[in-house]
């Protein structure tokens, strides 16, 4: 139990750090450098996602050809998104490498031992959460007067729906159905739904990606157990 509590505490710290970084002070996003830094973070997320799709291709060679072809298509989408973010940074006078990054995805995703765990954490986890994050950041860019970046975020969010649908399809292929409990069990420790959703669930987008209503109800209601329990 102490080991489990340590994992949960670390996950909460991760979320708190991310929240502090995302919760820019009023007016901060009007600063060009701050917007460029945010875009740089997103570019690095896309880079890690593309790399991890290639990693899964090699890590799980026994998977169906159609699944592996899907991994390649998604990797190419992520690379295209990287170019979009790089172009947006250039518009603001900055370039990739100008800011520090953190390899959060690489630190966690390769702990998966099966393709089910991989699609649980990627398609049904971080990419699903991007459906929420894209809306949030589009609003922030727009409020800062950066309409071009706002529209780019909206486009990325729309294109993430297909990536999430890929995760749903292959989770159901192996597990029979997308049930909340089965998904939680497939997440490699110490990960939980805590980091796999945004503040306000984008239920319509998630439903378009194939996530059942019952799954969304449980995801929206889920809360971590108290650390002392």
């Amino acid at each position: 139990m102490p080991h489990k509590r340590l994992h949960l505490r670390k996950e909460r710290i991760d979320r708190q750090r991310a929240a502090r970084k995302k919760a820019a002070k009023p007016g901060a996003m009007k600063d060009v450098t701050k917007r460029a830094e945010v875009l740089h973070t997103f570019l690095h997320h896309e880079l890690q996602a593309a790399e991890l799709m290639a990693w899964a291709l090699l890590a799980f060679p026994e998977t169906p050809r159609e699944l592996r072809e899907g991994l390649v298509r998604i990797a190419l989408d992520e690379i295209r998104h990287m170019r979009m973010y790089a172009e947006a940074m250039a518009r603001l006078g900055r370039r990739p490498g100008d800011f520090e990054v953190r390899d959060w995805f690489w630190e966690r995703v390769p702990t998966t031992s099966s393709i089910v765990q991989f699609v649980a954490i990627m398609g049904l986890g971080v990419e699903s959460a991007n459906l929420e994050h894209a809306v949030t950041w589009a609003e922030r860019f727009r409020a800062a007067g950066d309409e071009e970046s706002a529209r780019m975020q909206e486009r990325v969010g729309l294109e993430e729906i297909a990536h999430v649908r890929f995760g749903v399809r292959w989770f159901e292929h192996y597990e029979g159905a997308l049930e909340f409990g089965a998904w939680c069990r497939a997440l490699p420790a110490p990960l939980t739904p805590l980091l796999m959703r945004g503040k306000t669930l984008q239920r319509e987008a998630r439903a378009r990606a194939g996530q059942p209503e019952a799954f969304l109800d449980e995801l929206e209601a889920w809360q971590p157990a108290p650390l002392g329990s």
Side-chain angles (χ1 to χ4, degrees), residues 44-226:
H44 187 244
H45 288 173
E46 300 287 350
L47 171 61
Q48 291 179 88
E51 291 172 337
L52 286 164
M53 294 300 163
W55 173 85
L57 193 66
L58 298 175
F60 309 113
E62 74 287 352
T63 54
R65 179 184 179 90
E66 189 176 359
L67 187 155
R68 287 179 279 123
E69 289 176 344
L71 291 173
V72 173
R73 285 194 301 272
I74 293 174
L76 293 174
D77 280 348
E78 312 294 10
I79 292 169
R80 180 166 48 79
H81 292 166
M82 283 174 57
R83 293 196 184 103
M84 290 164 58
Y85 285 123
E87 290 169 1
M89 287 183 66
R91 177 171 49 83
L92 300 180
R94 306 305 289 264
R95 61 185 178 83
D98 282 355
F99 303 95
E100 293 184 0
V101 295
R102 183 182 173 202
D103 292 333
W104 191 93
F105 298 156
W106 266 114
E107 291 168 1
R108 288 160 178 79
V109 176
T111 64
T112 59
S113 59
S114 70
I115 192 63
V116 173
Q117 286 190 328
F118 181 80
V119 297
I121 187 175
M122 289 298 290
L124 298 175
V126 294
E127 291 188 294
S128 289
N130 280 344
L131 299 179
E132 281 92 54
H133 299 326
V135 172
T136 297
W137 283 101
E139 291 172 351
R140 291 177 182 177
F141 280 118
R142 186 163 285 121
D146 190 342
E147 181 64 22
E148 190 169 346
S149 293
R151 290 181 180 179
M152 181 181 64
Q153 281 301 110
E154 291 169 341
R155 177 180 173 185
V156 170
L158 286 173
E159 294 183 358
E160 289 284 8
I161 292 175
H163 300 179
V164 177
R165 188 181 298 118
F166 174 87
V168 171
R169 177 188 175 187
W170 289 105
F171 190 90
E172 291 179 337
H173 173 84
Y174 288 102
E175 296 295 308
L178 175 55
E179 297 178 346
F180 186 76
W183 172 62
C184 290
R185 290 189 294 274
L187 292 173
L191 296 175
T192 71
L194 189 66
L195 293 171
M196 307 299 170
R197 66 187 184 194
K199 186 175 181 180
T200 301
L201 216 61
Q202 292 296 313
R203 294 182 68 106
E204 181 180 353
R206 285 173 174 267
R208 287 176 59 191
Q211 295 184 358
E213 186 174 353
F215 177 89
L216 297 178
D217 289 342
E218 292 190 72
L219 175 62
E220 197 165 38
W222 187 90
Q223 292 295 328

